[in-house]
Amino acid sequence: RYGIGPVDAGNTQLQQIYTDLRSISAAMQQYLADNHRPPTQHPGLSTLAEATTVPPVPRNYREGGYLDELPKDPWGEPYRYVNDQLGGGASATYQLSTLGADMAWGGEKENADVGLEHLDYIDHIMRL
């Protein structure tokens, strides 16, 4: 359907991506609950692991942060974060993804782009 998969013993990359995206997403939900808006584009996701001094500084940053460390995708690249925040507030959306092994847009199997929008599908194919 999305060019993602298959999920089998040999495809640990997809399992890692799934786990990482779930973990980052859960940390983001905690951050949003405390600060009412996602981190800005810069410094981005690093704000989940380490407090930022870049304005706007979150006012209710949790002591110890939201993640011990920010995971990297299976190919050692940072997960892509895009903050679609127009005007601020918790209603702002964000995107979180990896470009896959080829680090280019598109692709299938290990080269497939995988993002938050694919988590339900991955969950489904992992149960097959």
Side-chain angles (χ1 to χ4, degrees):
R1 179 173 170 190
Y2 295 111
I4 300 169
V7 178
D8 56 35
N11 190 350
T12 58
Q13 292 95 350
L14 189 56
Q15 294 170 355
Q16 178 186 336
I17 292 167
Y18 178 82
T19 300
D20 289 348
L21 291 179
R22 286 272 184 219
S23 174
I24 296 169
S25 179
M28 182 69 80
Q29 293 309 309
Q30 293 172 347
Y31 182 94
L32 284 168
D34 289 349
N35 298 288
H36 310 293
R37 65 178 64 214
T40 57
Q41 189 67 40
H42 177 74
L45 291 177
S46 64
T47 303
L48 298 175
E50 186 176 321
T52 181
T53 57
V54 176
V57 175
R59 294 182 184 192
N60 298 311
Y61 193 82
R62 187 174 294 184
E63 185 176 331
Y66 300 86
L67 290 169
D68 290 334
E69 64 180 338
L70 194 58
K72 293 191 176 198
D73 76 10
W75 303 279
E77 296 296 318
Y79 282 94
R80 298 177 56 85
Y81 171 70
V82 177
N83 179 332
D84 295 336
Q85 190 168 351
L86 299 172
S91 63
T93 60
Y94 64 92
Q95 298 170 15
L96 182 61
S97 63
T98 177
L99 294 177
D102 64 356
M103 293 177 233
W105 294 107
E108 294 184 358
K109 299 186 180 185
E110 70 275 354
N111 294 327
D113 302 346
V114 181
L116 288 177
E117 66 274 18
H118 301 116
L119 289 182
D120 289 342
Y121 175 71
I122 296 169
D123 189 48
H124 170 74
I125 64 174
M126 288 175 76
R127 286 186 263 137
L128 296 177

